[in-house]
Every structure is written in structure tokens, then in C-alpha cells.
């Protein structure tokens, strides 16, 4: 189909339940790369949480790129940053005050992947190194309480931030318009790749903007129902080489 870029989510998609990349996935990705296809890992993880998988896949080169922190940062594997969007400190303070008042557990995450348990912890570190910035806020709760927390946080922050559920127990708050989809659009423009030449593979809410930014989207078999509904195709789950199946079926043939 002439795809030149494959955007792949990591947790629940590329990685199996043991947090490993299967040999079939490695082989399919390496074959696609050998044909000149960009392989872009798109994750909520930091650089350090992506690089080991990139090395296994053989894509850790300066002309290959990652989208990390859920779309807050785009960089290559030499850590050259093409794009970065951070939260203002006054926004972090307001968010911390609200979440503390509502007894919702949270952590700030900065652009080095460091986690902070409170606004005070963050601001003390920021004063020592002003180059640091908060890229997202991670909220954790119990599974049965998540719907209630989601409703509360969406109501409070949807107008000024991007709020998204990332697991059965977690949701994240990003700067407005920061998501995997907008980051993917920025990267494809930089690489001069048409959206018609992009395939995206994922499984969860935070992958949906990425699906909308790609010409063709593929949900792995373990994806949540609304992701499957949005996708153009569904393949095997993350424990049965779904990524390899998608690449072999839609890119290599």
C-alpha cells in the first residue's frame, strides 16, 4: 500500500504481557525498515523507557525518531529534540492543589523522566535546573474508582488541557493539544511523509488521536472496544505478534 512510516504504541501493543518484543515483531519491523519505512515508537514512556526496545528492534539511529511522553516530546535516538511542550509552573501548582483537595494520587513527570510526588518537590528541583519542565501529570486510582475520577478530572480540565485514560487505573493530563496524533502530524511534516503513507498500530484511548492522524489504523486484538471501532483493521493481540501481522499484511505485501 506504499506506507513510508509506521507509528507503533508500546505497552499493550508492541510489548507482550511480559514487557518483551517478540521475535516475529522484531523480524517484521526490521524488514520494513530495510525497505526504507520509518518505524516510530509512540509511547507515554520517557526516552529511557523506549531506548532498550529500540535497540532490540535495530532502529536506534539518528535518522529514526520516537514520540515520547504521550506526544509531549519528539526526538531522535541521539536525543536531538525536534519538539517539546511543557506545562507552566502555575498550571502545575493549580493542578496539584485541586488533586490534593480531591484526595487523588498524582505524580508530575519532567522531560528527563523524573517523577515528583508533589508540586513542592518539583519546584525545588526546577529552581536548581530551570531547563527542566513538566511534560505530563500521571493520576493513579483504584480500578473501581476510575470512572468517578475520570468524570471529575474531565469536567475540571478538558477546556484547557488534554485528559486521557491510559490504563485501567491511570489517566494523564497534558498541555492542550498535546497527544500522539498531533505529534505524529508534526513528525510526518518534518520527514515530508504524507498522511496517506502512514499506518498506526495501538490498543488504548491515548492511541486514538494517532489513529485519526494516520491513513490506516490497526488495533491489536486486546485493544479496548472503542479503539477497535475506530480502527480500519484488527489483528492478533500483543501476545500473539499482532504488530508483525499488521506489518506483514499491510506493509510488506
Amino acid at each position: 500500500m506504499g506506507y513510508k512510516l509506521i507509528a507503533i504504541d508500546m505497552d499493550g501493543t508492541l510489548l507482550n504481557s511480559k514487557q518483551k518484543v517478540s521475535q516475529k515483531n522484531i523480524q517484521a519491523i526490521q524488514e520494513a525498515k530495510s525497505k526504507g519505512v520509518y518505524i516510530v515508537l509512540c509511547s507515554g514512556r520517557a526516552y529511557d523507557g523506549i531506548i532498550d526496545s529500540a535497540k532490540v528492534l535495530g532502529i536506534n539511529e539518528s535518522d529514526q525518531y520516537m514520540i515520547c511522553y504521550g506526544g509531549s516530546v519528539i526526538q531522535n535516538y541521539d536525543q536531538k529534540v525536534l519538539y517539546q511542550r511543557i506545562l507552566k509552573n502555575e498550571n502545575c501548582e493549580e493542578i496539584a492543589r485541586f488533586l490534593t483537595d480531591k484526595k487523588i494520587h498524582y505524580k508530575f513527570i519532567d522531560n528527563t523522566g523524573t517523577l515528583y510526588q508533589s508540586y513542592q518537590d518539583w519546584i525545588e528541583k526546577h529552581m536548581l535546573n530551570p531547563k527542566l519542565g513538566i511534560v505530563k501529570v500521571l493520576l493513579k486510582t483504584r480500578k473501581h474508582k476510575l470512572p468517578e475520577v475520570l468524570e471529575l478530572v474531565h469536567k475540571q480540565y478538558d477546556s484547557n488541557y488534554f485528559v486521557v485514560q491510559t490504563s485501567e487505573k491511570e489517566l494523564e493530563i497534558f498541555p492542550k493539544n498535546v497527544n500522539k496524533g498531533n505529534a505524529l502530524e508534526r513528525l510526518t511534516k518534518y520527514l515530508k511523509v504524507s498522511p496517506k503513507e502512514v499506518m498506526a498500530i495501538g490498543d488504548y484511548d491515548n492511541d486514538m488521536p494517532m489513529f485519526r492522524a494516520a491513513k490506516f489504523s490497526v488495533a491489536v486484538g486486546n485493544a479496548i472496544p472503542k479503539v477497535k471501532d475506530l480502527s480500519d483493521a484488527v489483528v492478533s493481540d500483543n501476545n500473539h505478534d499482532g504488530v508483525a501481522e499488521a506489518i506483514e499484511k499491510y506493509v510488506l505485501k
Side-chain angles (χ1 to χ4, degrees), residues 62-85:
S62 60
D63 62 347
Q64 295 287 335
Y65 299 85
M66 67 167 71
I67 292 172
C68 46
Y69 302 110
S72 294
V73 177
I74 305 170
Q75 61 183 330
N76 71 1
Y77 286 94
D78 288 341
Q79 298 192 61
K80 176 186 175 183
V81 175
L82 302 183
Y83 169 80
Q84 176 176 274
R85 180 85 180 276

Side-chain angles (χ1 to χ4, degrees), residues 213-231:
K215 169 65 175 178
F216 193 76
S217 57
V218 181
V220 287
N222 54 291
I224 60 174
K226 60 183 175 180
V227 171
K228 289 181 179 179
D229 290 342
L230 182 63
S231 70

Side-chain angles (χ1 to χ4, degrees), residues 92 96 105-129 131-138:
C92 293
H105 180 69
Y106 71 91
K107 293 179 182 178
F108 290 123
I109 302 177
D110 75 15
N111 50 355
T112 68
T114 302
L115 277 63
Y116 303 89
Q117 304 286 346
S118 70
Y119 176 75
Q120 187 61 37
D121 288 345
W122 153 244
I123 207 66
E124 288 176 2
K125 184 68 174 289
H126 180 67
M127 289 174 67
L128 296 174
N129 187 353
K131 291 183 179 180
L132 296 176
I134 296 299
V135 291
K136 65 178 180 178
V137 187
L138 173 66

Side-chain angles (χ1 to χ4, degrees), residues 153-172:
V153 176
H154 274 300
K155 182 177 180 180
Q156 179 73 14
Y157 291 122
D158 274 356
S159 59
N160 296 311
Y161 302 90
F162 175 59
V163 178
V164 64
Q165 183 178 346
T166 53
S167 79
E168 293 181 336
K169 299 179 181 179
E170 298 174 331
L171 60 151
E172 297 177 352

Side-chain angles (χ1 to χ4, degrees), residues 135-147:
V135 291
K136 65 178 180 178
V137 187
L138 173 66
L139 284 62
K140 289 192 174 184
T141 187
R142 296 184 179 182
K143 185 176 178 180
H144 73 277
K145 287 189 174 183
L146 188 61

Side-chain angles (χ1 to χ4, degrees), residues 13-201:
T13 301
L14 174 66
L15 304 178
N16 61 26
S17 57
K18 295 181 180 180
Q19 297 294 291
K20 300 293 184 182
V21 185
S22 73
Q23 192 58 40
K24 277 193 173 183
N25 284 348
I26 293 170
Q27 290 172 350
I29 285 172
Q30 289 180 345
E31 187 172 349
K33 179 175 176 286
S34 72
K35 295 181 181 297
V37 178
Y38 288 105
I39 307 297
V40 180
L41 300 184
C42 301
S43 177
R45 294 176 176 226
Y47 178 92
D48 290 346
I50 297 174
I51 184 62
D52 287 345
S53 294
K55 288 178 179 178
V56 168
L57 294 167
I59 61 171
N60 57 313
E61 299 165 340
S62 60
D63 62 347
Q64 295 287 335
Y65 299 85
M66 67 167 71
I67 292 172
C68 46
Y69 302 110
S72 294
V73 177
I74 305 170
Q75 61 183 330
N76 71 1
Y77 286 94
D78 288 341
Q79 298 192 61
K80 176 186 175 183
V81 175
L82 302 183
Y83 169 80
Q84 176 176 274
R85 180 85 180 276
I86 60 175
L87 288 161
K88 295 179 180 179
N89 284 336
E90 55 265 35
N91 298 142
C92 293
E93 183 177 17
E94 187 276 325
I95 290 170
R97 189 183 302 115
F98 175 81
L99 296 177
T100 300
D101 180 64
K102 299 300 182 181
K103 296 181 171 56
I104 299 171
H105 180 69
Y106 71 91
K107 293 179 182 178
F108 290 123
I109 302 177
D110 75 15
N111 50 355
T112 68
T114 302
L115 277 63
Y116 303 89
Q117 304 286 346
S118 70
Y119 176 75
Q120 187 61 37
D121 288 345
W122 153 244
I123 207 66
E124 288 176 2
K125 184 68 174 289
H126 180 67
M127 289 174 67
L128 296 174
N129 187 353
K131 291 183 179 180
L132 296 176
I134 296 299
V135 291
K136 65 178 180 178
V137 187
L138 173 66
L139 284 62
K140 289 192 174 184
T141 187
R142 296 184 179 182
K143 185 176 178 180
H144 73 277
K145 287 189 174 183
L146 188 61
E148 176 186 345
V149 173
L150 265 174
E151 182 179 1
L152 179 66
V153 176
H154 274 300
K155 182 177 180 180
Q156 179 73 14
Y157 291 122
D158 274 356
S159 59
N160 296 311
Y161 302 90
F162 175 59
V163 178
V164 64
Q165 183 178 346
T166 53
S167 79
E168 293 181 336
K169 299 179 181 179
E170 298 174 331
L171 60 151
E172 297 177 352
I173 302 173
F174 294 89
K176 189 72 173 178
N177 298 321
V178 167
N179 56 59
K180 292 182 180 182
N182 286 341
L184 182 57
E185 288 179 355
R186 285 180 178 273
L187 180 57
T188 53
K189 286 179 182 178
Y190 175 81
L191 296 174
K192 296 181 172 58
V193 173
S194 166
K196 295 180 180 179
E197 300 169 317
V198 178
M199 182 173 83
I201 312 173

